[in-house]
Amino acid sequence: MFQILIVEDDKNTRKLMEAVLKENGYYPIPAKDGMEALRLLDTCHIDLVIMDIMLPGLDGYELTRQLRETHFSLPILMVTAKQLPEDKKKGFIVGTDDYMIKPVDEEEMILRIKALLRRAQIVNEHRITLGPVVLDYDALTVSRGSEVQTLPRKEFYLLYKLLSYPGKIFTRVQLMDEIWGMESESDDNTINVHVNRLRRRFEGYPEFSIETIRGLGYKAVKNI
């Protein structure tokens, strides 16, 4: 079960988030301020943090900055009443992964949490090996023997995601959500273009292929 730290000073909001997370199969861990959050992060395994910005003492911006400076790479979702563009930009600059405005839509919050956890899972698996083919997440490379190709970031992430779950069908919406983000202005055709580029790039690789599932999306097939 994923453990999610809720950093929120408003007791009612915190209790509501706890209830919503429990209903959706997550284990919530509450913290009323940034300092308590830091103590919990030192003593508990946390998979994702939901935090308000306007916290007593250590605010959400500073808490996020400190986590990133100490190399905490876990996903952070800011949920706040601060809705000006500069507030949102500051959140991303200090290191948040996503940003929602209060009052939040509970279903949308759960969808964003799922997407952040899936992206974190991709990042934590640094290498995929298919016979002589090796995908190196850190280097964005696909190598086969002495041949090494460095892919554009989104192209690599798409291939890595598909090959992480061979045989699993992903819809275009799922792939857009996880790789481009829920707020991306790109459309479904972006996925088609990237899949076609990958097919051309690796048409000489018999170890895997990307198949179109009509009306649904795509899946990767391991041929070894």
Side-chain angles (χ1 to χ4, degrees):
M1 182 182 291
F2 288 111
Q3 299 196 145
I4 297 180
L5 178 63
I6 304 168
V7 192
E8 169 62 63
D9 62 322
D10 183 86
K11 181 179 178 180
N12 293 331
T13 302
R14 193 168 63 243
K15 292 292 185 183
L16 175 60
M17 286 187 173
E18 286 185 65
V20 171
L21 290 173
K22 285 179 181 176
E23 287 174 7
N24 286 273
Y26 299 109
Y27 185 85
I29 298 176
K32 63 182 180 296
D33 57 41
M35 295 307 297
E36 185 179 5
L38 288 174
R39 288 193 294 271
L40 287 167
L41 283 161
D42 281 338
T43 57
C44 304
H45 171 77
I46 302 295
D47 295 290
L48 181 143
V49 180
I50 300 174
M51 72 169 71
D52 192 6
I53 291 177
M54 295 179 286
L55 297 167
L58 192 67
D59 69 15
Y61 292 134
E62 180 61 19
L63 176 57
T64 299
R65 187 188 65 77
Q66 288 192 22
L67 292 179
R68 295 311 187 213
E69 284 188 352
T70 50
H71 306 292
F72 275 94
S73 60
L74 76 174
I76 297 173
L77 170 61
M78 283 185 173
V79 178
T80 175
K82 295 175 77 67
Q83 55 185 304
L84 294 176
E86 51 264 37
D87 297 325
K88 189 172 183 179
K89 288 176 184 176
K90 184 176 180 180
F92 284 112
I93 288 170
V94 296
T96 190
D97 295 282
D98 206 350
Y99 193 107
M100 292 188 73
I101 305 298
K102 293 180 179 178
V104 300
D105 179 280
E106 294 171 8
E107 184 177 358
E108 182 183 353
M109 184 180 74
I110 293 299
L111 289 172
R112 287 176 182 252
I113 287 170
K114 288 180 177 178
L116 288 170
L117 289 170
R118 286 194 296 265
R119 286 203 290 272
Q121 188 174 15
I122 294 174
V123 172
N124 289 335
E125 300 293 333
H126 291 282
R127 187 178 290 258
I128 294 174
T129 302
L130 303 169
V133 178
V134 177
L135 281 72
D136 187 323
Y137 189 94
D138 295 325
L140 302 178
T141 59
V142 180
S143 58
R144 186 171 186 266
S146 60
E147 179 183 357
V148 180
Q149 298 189 54
T150 302
L151 275 59
R153 189 174 300 273
K154 299 296 187 185
E155 202 171 304
F156 181 88
Y157 290 165
L158 177 58
L159 180 63
Y160 201 98
K161 179 63 180 178
L162 292 170
L163 286 174
S164 293
Y165 303 92
K168 178 178 172 61
I169 299 171
F170 290 94
T171 66
R172 291 176 177 83
V173 172
Q174 282 178 306
L175 294 170
M176 285 297 300
D177 176 10
E178 293 186 36
I179 298 170
W180 276 263
M182 293 187 71
E183 296 185 359
S184 171
E185 296 181 359
S186 302
D187 57 25
D188 288 354
N189 189 55
T190 299
I191 297 289
N192 302 340
V193 169
H194 280 71
V195 167
N196 287 334
R197 288 176 182 167
L198 288 169
R199 284 172 171 161
R200 289 194 298 270
R201 187 188 293 272
F202 299 109
E203 61 185 356
Y205 285 41
E207 291 82 9
F208 66 88
S209 59
I210 301 174
E211 294 187 0
T212 301
I213 309 301
R214 189 175 298 277
L216 291 175
Y218 298 100
K219 71 175 181 180
V221 176
K222 290 171 62 175
N223 299 321
I224 58 172

